[in-house]
Amino acid sequence: MITIKEVANRKELKQFIMFPFELYKNNKNWVPPLIMDEWNTLDSRKNPAFDHCEAAYFLAYQDNEVVGRIAAIINHKANVRWDEKLTRFGWVAFIDDPEVSKALLDAAEAWGASKGMKGIHGPLGFSDLDQEGMQVEGFDNEPSITTACNFPYFPKHIEHLGFRKSVDWVQYKFNAAQEIPDKVKRINELIMQKYKVEVVIPKNKKEIKRYAPQFFETLNAAFKDLYGFAELSDRQIEFYIKAYLGFARPELLCFLLDESSNIVGFGISFPSLSKAFQKAKGRIFPFGFFHILKALRKYDTVDLYFNGVHPDWQKKGIHSLYYVALNEQYRKHNVKYAISTGQLETNINAVGIWDNYEKEPYFRTRCFIKD
């Protein structure tokens, strides 16, 4: 018999956070999150997304053992932005038992319905900067620390419950040392001359900090029409600056500036931390921090985290400028591989740029919806 219980205290939230460590303990590709980050994200007192979100967390028990979990989230800002009444589900994990997955999804859907929601979709987080999507391809590949990783039976269970595909995100793997195509070089020279755009690679962390607030403002504008996006608040921006940019490598960031020194485009990449996170096993101390610092200093693989162009500058081709600038940095620093972030398959402008590079499909994740 399956019992569903809403998380009501710190002990149960710890069970919620730790369940995947047991579920995936024999999965060599799974990249465990940092337990500290999970606490900060799921705690309504620490995550500023709760200024416009509410959430409930559910655990599934069988014979007094945890066999699944799910988060149910209502992002009121996103629902207003997209004129929807949808519950989000995220942080979903379960054993290969259809009764368990059904009980969890039913609980999330019922919770949302009790608050007036008319449908449910996911996996999604509180914001676009949380993990989103369920892995449907690339099960033999190692994910980045921001990419969903799950067993192949997950999407089968979801589809069996009446969910359909809403949208897919695709990722590619590149030879980071490949030559920049001459065609791209010529086009970039024309773009820079025509639009007078300056390409900036930060020199140090002080310079990163100076650009950080404006970067997130441009990100808000660039991502505003992407699936499910809700504009990040000032408190969220401050939260993510601390979470992400404190660990950034200056040589792996690129900002595009207009004549007034406004950021009109950006490409943000990080050294791959997947293997470091696997060694850390979710814990910063006593040795996790050592593995992460080592990976930040010596790396041959990078993950492309964020890239975008301000709406006023889209369809001018300037996104090619930061791709080429980063490509040059990767070659300079002897990077072998680059893994793109999840990009909406419908975002032709973003995905199309990769047609000029040698690439191979790496990952595909999916957001499901049930009306």
Side-chain angles (χ1 to χ4, degrees):
M1 181 177 176
I2 309 302
T3 302
I4 298 294
K5 183 177 181 182
E6 182 175 348
V7 169
N9 54 50
R10 188 174 178 86
K11 178 182 176 181
E12 291 168 354
L13 184 56
K14 183 178 180 180
Q15 289 181 305
F16 184 94
I17 291 170
M18 298 306 299
F19 172 67
F21 287 81
E22 177 64 24
L23 183 67
Y24 293 110
K25 64 182 180 182
N26 295 320
N27 185 325
K28 63 182 178 64
N29 287 327
W30 184 63
V31 177
L34 293 179
I35 296 168
M36 176 182 68
D37 286 349
E38 293 290 87
W39 279 107
N40 289 338
T41 301
L42 297 171
D43 190 338
S44 61
R45 297 167 299 178
K46 296 180 179 180
N47 187 347
F50 280 90
D51 290 348
H52 55 266
C53 293
E54 56 182 308
Y57 312 129
F58 297 94
L59 289 167
Y61 295 88
Q62 189 176 53
D63 298 326
N64 294 319
E65 288 189 10
V66 177
V67 291
R69 71 170 192 178
I70 196 169
I73 301 165
I74 299 176
N75 185 321
H76 294 287
K77 184 186 288 188
N79 278 343
V80 170
R81 163 69 180 85
W82 296 98
D83 191 22
E84 298 171 330
K85 287 195 173 185
L86 291 177
T87 306
R88 299 177 169 207
F89 72 89
W91 281 267
V92 60
F94 44 82
I95 63 171
D96 191 5
D97 183 335
E99 289 187 32
V100 175
S101 53
K102 183 180 188 305
L104 287 167
L105 268 299
D106 284 353
E109 187 175 3
W111 177 84
S114 72
K115 295 177 177 292
M117 299 300 104
K118 304 299 183 183
I120 183 169
H121 63 157
L124 292 167
F126 295 95
S127 80
D128 261 31
L129 275 64
D130 292 326
Q131 200 174 89
E132 53 190 5
M134 180 175 288
Q135 185 182 8
V136 294
E137 291 179 10
F139 292 102
D140 293 330
N141 297 325
E142 181 181 82
S144 72
I145 63 171
T146 61
T147 303
C149 177
N150 50 263
F151 291 115
Y153 65 78
F154 274 38
K156 295 177 182 178
H157 283 229
I158 299 297
E159 290 168 352
H160 183 71
L161 291 170
F163 285 79
R164 57 181 171 81
K165 171 184 172 180
S166 183
V167 72
D168 278 8
W169 292 270
V170 294
Q171 292 177 258
Y172 296 100
K173 182 178 182 179
F174 303 91
N175 169 13
Q178 66 184 279
E179 291 280 352
I180 299 164
D182 289 336
K183 173 185 175 182
V184 176
K185 289 181 180 178
R186 291 194 301 270
I187 292 173
N188 279 11
E189 289 174 3
L190 294 172
I191 290 172
M192 292 180 72
Q193 291 173 9
K194 181 176 181 179
Y195 297 113
K196 297 180 174 58
V197 176
E198 180 185 1
V199 178
V200 174
I201 303 293
K203 297 181 181 66
N204 49 50
K205 293 201 173 185
K206 183 178 180 181
E207 197 166 334
I208 294 175
K209 188 175 181 180
R210 177 161 63 87
Y211 283 121
Q214 194 182 84
F215 152 65
F216 275 103
E217 289 177 14
T218 306
L219 181 148
N220 265 340
F223 289 4
K224 68 181 179 66
D225 293 327
L226 297 184
Y227 183 90
F229 184 76
E231 182 179 291
L232 300 176
S233 67
D234 289 343
R235 289 187 66 225
Q236 283 179 289
I237 289 173
E238 183 179 351
F239 179 83
Y240 288 122
I241 286 176
K242 292 178 181 177
Y244 285 101
L245 296 185
F247 294 99
R249 298 290 304 180
E251 70 271 16
L252 298 182
L253 276 60
C254 179
F255 300 114
L256 305 182
L257 308 184
D258 66 11
E259 290 183 282
S260 301
S261 296
N262 298 311
I263 295 177
V264 296
F266 53 86
I268 308 295
S269 57
F270 278 71
S272 173
L273 297 178
S274 298
K275 286 183 169 53
F277 273 40
Q278 287 173 336
K279 293 176 182 177
K281 298 179 180 178
R283 302 185 185 279
I284 289 288
F285 302 107
F287 302 116
F289 199 61
F290 167 79
H291 295 302
I292 293 169
L293 282 179
K294 184 178 179 181
L296 287 169
R297 290 171 179 166
K298 187 177 181 180
Y299 54 90
D300 65 4
T301 302
V302 296
D303 293 321
L304 310 179
Y305 276 21
F306 311 115
N307 56 81
V309 174
H310 192 283
D312 295 343
W313 287 77
Q314 290 173 4
K315 299 184 180 179
K316 300 180 188 295
I318 69 169
H319 55 289
S320 180
L321 300 179
Y322 55 72
Y323 284 132
V324 168
L326 289 174
N327 194 169
E328 291 173 340
Q329 289 296 104
Y330 302 155
R331 288 170 56 82
K332 179 180 177 181
H333 292 277
N334 300 313
V335 177
K336 294 180 180 178
Y337 304 107
I339 311 298
S340 69
T341 187
Q343 293 178 308
L344 289 167
E345 63 178 354
T346 54
N347 189 354
I348 304 303
N349 289 334
V351 176
I353 186 65
W354 302 130
D355 292 340
N356 296 308
Y357 293 87
E358 301 170 20
K359 66 181 185 300
E360 61 181 81
Y362 194 72
F363 251 76
R364 179 181 288 266
T365 55
R366 179 165 297 166
C367 180
F368 295 89
I369 190 167
K370 182 180 178 185
D371 299 319

